[in-house]
Amino acid sequence: MKRFALPAVAVLLLSGCASQPPVDDEPPASPPMFAEPGVGESDALGLVNLWRVSDAEGEGDETWLRLDANEFQLWRDCGMIMGSWRASNELFLASVDSASGECAPASVPTVEWLESATAFAQTADGYQLLSGDQTVASLTIDGSPEPIDTAAEFYTQPPEITDEGRARFAAPAPLPDELEPATADALDGVWVAGSVASTEPHVAFNADNTWTGSDGCNGGSGRWAVSGSGEFLATSGPSTLIFCEGAPIPSWLAQSASAGLDPDGLLHLFDAVGAELGVLTR
């Protein structure tokens, strides 16, 4: 019997809706997402900074988004909202997992504009976060939030870009020549791991950029995005850890950096260094 657990770097454990950020004097160490860099750095490395947020629905003037290499802190008057994010040359996905201070309601908060973003674009003075062709937020360098008692002061400053941070934003290896880049239209629908179909491991890619699926025993869900060049990203939510025979499809998605289709219509998922994670059948 096999056990499939999602990688810690991609799983959002939502057990505590009001967890506090560390208050130590030094920032936490961040493990690299990839063992080795891919082909150069992706454009997403430029997002690592402290940004003032504007043009975002529901946000006030005093909102900042601190994008560190493996996590984000969204500063509001009420405190901080935290989570994780992924990005590539074009794509951007973020998921909220906790909050502090008065920003923490009875359940995990949602930030619709941030969690709806699927891409980003550079501007003359910063970046735009995009959902389709709509701008959901503008990011510029302008000031910083006031320190609060429940978080270390370094969170009010731009994050340092380390070698490990650069490794997390290595550009994905190119797809093999025999594969066509996957597109949103091509991915739409249900895909299965045919060799272990008795337990029905599968993923359903929905048109609203959400996905649901299972490794055969444990359900999963999250969001996904794909670019015209075959770059692919997905977030993965919490999951149970039931023992069973299956295929770790949620784990494949969480680690994927590119996706391509072969002449037989099979979907191949690859990590950032080009290692094949799994193959799915429509």
Side-chain angles (χ1 to χ4, degrees), residues 95-180:
S95 294
V96 173
D97 59 31
S98 59
S100 69
E102 296 179 3
C103 288
S107 60
V108 176
T110 59
V111 184
E112 292 187 8
W113 63 266
L114 181 60
E115 295 178 284
S116 69
T118 56
F120 69 96
Q122 191 168 9
T123 64
D125 55 356
Y127 290 88
Q128 291 177 329
L129 299 183
L130 309 170
S131 177
D133 58 358
Q134 300 294 315
T135 298
V136 296
S138 298
L139 308 179
T140 55
I141 304 295
D142 179 20
S144 61
E146 293 294 327
I148 56 177
D149 294 339
T150 55
E153 189 169 348
F154 69 78
Y155 282 110
T156 66
Q157 302 300 317
E160 178 185 358
I161 299 177
T162 64
D163 289 341
E164 286 121 341
R166 293 182 184 278
R168 291 180 64 86
F169 293 103
L175 289 170
D177 291 340
E178 66 273 16
L179 299 184
E180 290 291 328

Side-chain angles (χ1 to χ4, degrees), residues 60-80:
D61 294 335
E62 302 298 310
T63 300
W64 285 266
L65 179 62
R66 185 181 188 271
L67 294 174
D68 206 342
N70 68 321
E71 61 186 10
F72 71 80
Q73 297 85 36
L74 179 67
W75 288 83
R76 289 174 170 170
D77 289 339
C78 59
M80 286 199 326

